[in-house]
Amino acid sequence: MTDIATGQGPQKKVNEHFSNFAIQPPLPCRSCGSGELVNVLSLGSTPLANALLTAEQLSQAEETFPLDLVFCTQCSLVQITETVSPEKLFHEYFYLSSFSDTTLRHAEQIAARLRESFQLNGDSLVVEIASNDGYLLQFYKQAGVPVLGIEPAANIARLAEAERGIPTVCDFFDDALAARLAAENKRADIIHANNVLAHVANLSGMVRGIETLLKDEGVAVIEVPYVKDMIDRCEFDTIYHEHLCYFSLTSLCNLFRRHGLFISDVEHLDIHGGTLRIYARKQERGTRSPDQNHNAYDSSAAVKELLQKEREWGLTQPEFYLGFGDRVEGLRVKLLQLLAGLKVAGKRIAVYGASAKGSTLLNYFGIGPETLEYVVDRSRVKQGHYTPGTHLPIYSPEKLLEDLPDYVLLLTWNFAEEILEQQSEYRRQGGRFIIPIPEVRLV
């Protein structure tokens, strides 16, 4: 693609022919190390999506970093090119999983299912990588199953231990930490890793660590945003510096196969705008499948079927991603026209969700305090801060009923059903929500 935006505006229209893709200069793929990376979309240079500000920081210059999306022609991994230090991103963190009722129900259901399927008991061990505030492990602990959390954000690790009694290692997970835990006889029957693989710069170290920490008959249950849903539903706002990678099943199989693991099963879930849940096991358990293109081992019919569909859909070819930028631009125009019309009509507009995806949308679309008055969010740790780049103050959701703005732009659209139900009284009093993705609509 020859016309990639440089940060001054949305991606320009691109030619429909593969010959006009721009190949990145030698920059190794995070998974396979190939230098054959093709540009997909540039979102310019943006602040870190979760770098919320205090009032004292508003007058200080904010750091910004390039946000460019590329596709690896060798292993099919979609990824961003910039790597921000994980210490900068995660050691003090503002996202608490337990503030979402949807996330809690999701966690409780999978924990119950795995406890029964694997007959987990007091002699078992369940480990979660990026365990946050113990939102998932609490359901195993309540059933008497020993647990161990691994969480690099010190403030959140302390919450998990103090409020839920979840033993938590405050560190980044990699093969070195896995080897240390295995030497301490802390190998796991189940390893959970929900929405963390996409955050990891050293993918090989992460997957090697999972293989090391997993018992021979154990299973790693890993959830990642599905790249096909991101493209199909124009979910460009899920692109931010914490999300280094955007996975297909094909790219996951290629990654895990290189490190002694195979994907035995897969589920496609609706949560978070489209998620793949994979079940990874050690290769020694199985024998090679006739499908030598993917070197599967005892993989389920669901795995083989989805791999075949991804080839048919074109997820393994750059052409599938062509035109993504054009659709993002169309979404931007529609949302800006709607907001401008409401402002001309004298309407007041607030925001729901001080989310990372919201930061990407507001900063890339150029929507700030000239249009929006403030943000509300259920997370207590976010309240009292300001949004990165746009500097909107963050309050609790109760402010909507106190203030009654005419419209609320719902940036956490992935939890729309839950939030609309919670805000039924605001809606009953005439308030309306604007949902921007996958298409702009009023509810």
Side-chain angles (χ1 to χ4, degrees), residues 243-423:
H243 282 177
L244 301 172
C245 300
Y246 305 82
F247 294 99
S248 61
L249 181 60
T250 301
S251 64
L252 287 165
C253 284
N254 289 333
L255 169 62
F256 279 76
R257 184 178 69 242
R258 283 193 294 273
H259 300 291
L261 295 168
F262 76 101
I263 296 175
S264 62
D265 205 0
V266 63
E267 299 170 72
H268 185 197
L269 311 173
D270 288 334
I271 194 167
H272 300 307
T275 292
L276 287 185
R277 176 191 284 156
I278 63 167
Y279 298 80
R281 295 175 178 267
K282 296 198 173 187
Q283 286 180 357
E284 299 83 69
R285 295 183 69 260
T287 56
R288 289 187 182 273
S289 160
D291 181 5
Q292 295 299 319
N293 289 329
H294 293 281
N295 292 342
Y297 293 71
D298 293 347
S299 294
S300 69
V303 171
K304 295 170 185 175
E305 181 181 355
L306 187 53
L307 287 173
Q308 177 61 32
K309 284 183 176 179
E310 288 188 348
R311 291 193 288 271
E312 294 171 357
W313 290 331
L315 264 68
T316 60
Q317 301 298 323
E319 291 92 339
F320 176 80
Y321 306 93
L322 187 63
F324 184 44
D326 289 341
R327 289 190 289 121
V328 173
E329 165 65 357
L331 197 67
R332 184 189 75 92
V333 170
K334 289 179 182 177
L335 182 58
L336 291 183
Q337 287 176 343
L338 173 62
L339 295 176
L342 293 176
K343 291 300 288 185
V344 168
K347 304 300 183 182
R348 298 175 57 233
I349 309 169
V351 175
Y352 195 110
S355 62
K357 56 170 51 70
S359 178
T360 292
L361 186 147
L362 293 181
N363 281 290
Y364 183 56
F365 282 3
I367 307 170
E370 75 291 335
T371 303
L372 308 170
E373 297 192 6
Y374 55 83
V375 180
V376 300
D377 197 286
R378 287 183 74 190
S379 176
R380 295 188 304 271
V381 299
K382 295 182 180 182
Q383 294 163 15
H385 289 78
Y386 295 79
T387 56
T390 49
H391 297 182
L392 296 167
I394 304 169
Y395 300 101
S396 73
E398 285 71 24
K399 188 172 177 65
L400 295 182
L401 277 179
E402 297 167 4
D403 189 51
L404 288 178
D406 301 292
Y407 291 85
V408 176
L409 177 60
L410 181 55
L411 296 182
T412 45
W413 49 261
N414 50 318
F415 296 121
E417 184 177 344
E418 172 187 333
I419 292 166
L420 292 175
E421 181 179 347
Q422 291 168 358
Q423 295 301 320

Side-chain angles (χ1 to χ4, degrees), residues 202-235:
N202 182 9
L203 287 174
S204 293
M206 166 73 82
V207 179
R208 282 197 305 267
I210 290 172
E211 197 278 338
T212 296
L213 193 58
L214 200 61
K215 291 180 181 177
D216 290 345
E217 298 299 318
V219 61
V221 184
I222 299 165
E223 296 185 14
V224 297
Y226 190 26
V227 72
K228 185 175 189 296
D229 291 324
M230 182 183 82
I231 299 298
D232 286 350
R233 303 177 188 178
C234 207
E235 297 169 355

